[in-house]
Structure formats: structure tokens, C-alpha cells
Amino acid sequence: MPKRRGWRWTAWVMACVLVAAAGLTGVVWQNTYALREEKVSLRHGGRLLQGVLARPDRGPGPFGLVVFVHGDGPVDATHETFYRPLWESFARAGYASLSFDKPGVGGSEGDWLDQSMEDRAEETLAAVRWARGRPDVDGRRIGLWGASQAGWVLPKVAARDRRLRFVIAVSPAVNWLRQGRYNLLAELDRDGASDREREAALRRREVTLALLGRRASFAAYRAALGDAEGMTEARWAFVARNHRSDATADLRAMAGTPLLLVLAGHDVNVDVGETEAVYREVLPASSLTVARYPNATHSLVDHEVENSDLRLTLTAVLAPRRLYTGGFLADQARFVRRPDSGGRTTPEG
């Protein structure tokens, strides 16, 4: 889900007015989910990770399990509650959901910016092993769900743990460097950048890539480019550690595990055409299901909703299940009910 910065004060005022008008009872109901949430923890690499196990609201189990793998950024276990509609949809399909705070976020120790994609994969494998030791989890029905940056983590995990039942990859990229270029150009086009602005941005990118290629320090980056444009020393180290990531080899190694590839029609972060082409080339058609949502953004929010601060705020407060584009939640639940039916494309949203 997007973390929209600079939301207009008026949007919040209007949200508060409508919340009051609608009555607190209705708002509480909209933000109450049919789940039993339990705070859980595990130790990995000598560090404590804390998270949430969200089980269906009824029944003793054992339940199937969806292990969540976050995208980029300092994400907590619930993704600021935006995962809960997904957890509820999986619960209705008989699956629990497991999600941990990233290192350095919430109650988890460490620093997520110190991680490589390999580190993230090992962390996910540790979560799966922990879950298989739970009596309320059916170890034969464990799968992965991940978004965006998780596209470089999910295939690594599935290649190493062939017992995984399925993988759901939401808006994943294949190659870090190509994804970065696509994202840069797409954002420039979206913002109506001039030819001069476009050329300057591409020159800056080329300088950045040259610095990464020779493993330059953050001080060298600042000396070459001046204004860091939001780049910090820790972030520079993270990018330097991961910018060569490419999922192709790991996708080949995980071939045969049922995979649902979720693609959005308004994705400025990921070139969905390239992603789909690579996944179709590398993975067997019998194990690949592709779901396209033409009206969705990278975060699977409806494009019109995400591009209106007022509508996004009101939907998040009054109807959070409707943040996701139409059909997305139902399709996720349908896939985990029948994970071995890969190769059939779900209806387009």
C-alpha cells in the first residue's frame, strides 16, 4: 500500500466530519476483522523478530498459512493495518496469515537497511520453519505472499523450500537496474517533465550507476551529485548491496511451484509487460496463473482512489476493504483454495 506523504489537511478534516456523521459504530465495524490475532516472535541470526499470526476467527485448525514478505521500506507486521483485509480474505479460505515487523521496525531488532535480498530470503525461510512447528498450522499448506521488492525474495525462498504449496507475487520486478530506469522514466512522464528535465535525470542516473559500479562511498556520491535527493548513507549502502538483483535464475529454480502473478494497469514502479514476459518464458504454463487489474496502481489500489487524497483518506477510514481494486481480494482467496490449479488466468479486474 502506498504511504502518501503531504496529505492535505482538508482531507483529514473532511474525513473527521464524515466519520462523525456516519457514527462511530459503523466506523468501528468497518475496521473490525473476522480474525484472531496473536503476537508472536522468533529469533533469527541472534536477533528477535516480532510479528502477528492472524488465524480465522473460528475453528481449532490446523490451518493453511500464508507467510507475508514485505516490499521496500520500514514496514511493520500489519503494514499500518493495510494487510488486514487480505488476512481476512485468506481466513475465509481457511488460511491463517503470518507477518513480521521488518528488522528495526516495531518490536524487531536490527536494521532492514543492513539486509541483502539473500538475508531477506533466509529470514523468510526461518519464519516458515517456525510456522511448521505450530500445532495450529498445517505444514503441508504453507505458501508465500509478497509485493514489489519481495519479487527478489519469493523465488529464492521457493527454490530452496520445495514443500511450499504456492507463491503469490504482487507487482514484482525482475531486474533491479531495469526496474529503476523504468520507474524513473514513468514518473517523469507522469509528472509532465520537460525534455531538459528528462535528460538531466538520466545523466544523474548514469553517474549514480558508475559510482555503484566502482563501489563508491556515500561521500563520493554526495561529492559527485551534490543534493542527495533523499538518499541517506544507510540507504546508499542498501542500494549498493542489492542493485544487481535479478530474479530470473531463482524463478527457474522454483519452477513447478504454483504461482499467481498479480499485475496492475497503472504501475509506474514496475514494467509489468517485461515481468509477465519473463515469468511466462521461465515458468511452466501449468504452474503459472496471471491476474491483471487494469484499473489498479502498483499497490493494487484503484487508480482513481489513490490519486485523490480525499478519496484515499475517506476510503481508508470508512471502508478499508475497498482500498484494493475490484476483485483482488476475492481472487487471492480463490487461488489459495485451489493452489494446484495454476496455469489458468483469473478474470481481469
Side-chain angles (χ1 to χ4, degrees):
M1 300 294 297
K3 292 185 177 179
R4 297 291 294 269
R5 296 179 175 87
W7 288 6
R8 298 183 182 90
W9 173 251
T10 53
W12 286 109
V13 172
M14 285 296 296
C16 292
V17 170
L18 288 184
V19 167
L24 291 176
T25 300
V27 174
V28 170
W29 178 82
Q30 286 287 351
N31 288 274
T32 300
Y33 298 90
L35 297 166
R36 290 176 289 176
E37 294 187 18
E38 176 187 349
K39 291 184 178 181
V40 297
S41 63
L42 66 83
R43 284 204 166 270
H44 173 66
R47 293 175 176 173
L48 180 70
L49 296 176
Q50 291 192 344
V52 175
L53 176 65
R55 294 172 295 166
D57 63 344
R58 296 182 182 178
F63 304 106
L65 181 70
V66 183
V67 178
F68 276 62
V69 182
H70 307 306
D72 194 16
V75 186
D76 74 303
T78 72
H79 205 336
E80 297 179 345
T81 81
F82 290 125
Y83 282 157
R84 286 192 170 105
L86 272 164
W87 294 352
E88 186 179 59
S89 70
F90 289 136
R92 288 172 177 162
Y95 276 76
S97 296
L98 177 65
S99 181
F100 285 90
D101 299 332
K102 274 193 175 184
V105 178
S108 291
E109 298 173 348
D111 185 347
W112 65 273
L113 284 170
D114 285 339
Q115 292 186 306
S116 65
M117 297 302 106
E118 177 71 21
D119 295 331
R120 298 199 61 200
E122 290 294 335
E123 186 178 275
T124 304
L125 286 164
V128 172
R129 288 192 297 269
W130 176 90
R132 287 198 174 113
R134 296 268 309 198
D136 52 358
V137 171
D138 182 350
R140 299 166 301 174
R141 293 190 298 135
I142 296 179
L144 307 177
W145 184 100
S148 194
Q149 191 183 96
W152 291 295
V153 181
L154 300 170
K156 289 182 184 296
V157 178
R160 297 177 194 180
D161 189 340
R162 304 299 290 169
R163 296 170 60 192
L164 289 170
R165 186 75 172 268
F166 59 84
V167 172
I168 300 175
V170 180
S171 303
V174 173
N175 179 279
W176 185 294
L177 293 178
R178 292 199 301 270
Q179 181 267 345
R181 189 176 194 278
Y182 172 86
N183 176 227
L184 173 64
L185 294 176
E187 289 187 348
L188 288 169
D189 289 342
R190 179 197 62 194
D191 298 339
S194 66
D195 289 343
R196 178 175 296 179
E197 290 170 328
R198 183 185 177 95
E199 291 170 4
L202 288 172
R203 284 196 301 271
R204 185 183 182 93
R205 171 180 164 78
E206 289 305 313
V207 172
T208 300
L209 292 179
L211 291 166
L212 288 168
R214 64 174 185 260
R215 299 182 179 182
S217 66
F218 180 62
Y221 170 86
R222 290 296 302 269
L225 293 171
D227 180 12
E229 292 190 353
M231 183 70 75
T232 65
E233 187 169 8
R235 181 72 185 182
W236 177 254
F238 179 79
V239 173
R241 189 177 295 117
N242 292 295
H243 74 282
R244 293 186 179 87
S245 296
D246 187 293
T248 307
D250 291 317
L251 284 168
R252 286 197 179 95
M254 66 159 284
T257 301
L259 186 144
L260 173 63
L261 175 62
V262 178
L263 303 172
H266 293 270
D267 197 329
V268 298
N269 295 74
V270 169
D271 183 344
V272 297
E274 182 201 29
T275 292
E276 182 174 358
V278 172
Y279 273 61
R280 287 194 183 279
E281 178 184 353
V282 171
L283 297 178
S286 60
S287 65
L288 177 63
T289 302
V290 180
R292 305 180 192 86
Y293 301 91
N295 296 325
T297 64
H298 179 69
S299 54
L300 272 294
V301 174
D302 185 84
H303 181 252
E304 293 184 0
V305 172
E306 185 169 309
N307 282 277
S308 166
D309 288 342
L310 179 59
R311 288 187 63 180
L312 187 63
T313 302
L314 295 178
T315 305
V317 172
L318 300 175
R321 293 169 182 83
R322 297 182 63 184
L323 278 170
Y324 292 103
T325 197
F328 174 67
L329 293 178
D331 289 343
Q332 304 285 287
R334 187 178 302 116
F335 180 78
V336 300
R337 283 194 190 99
R338 302 183 65 184
D340 295 321
S341 63
R344 292 198 305 226
T345 302
T346 58
E348 294 186 4

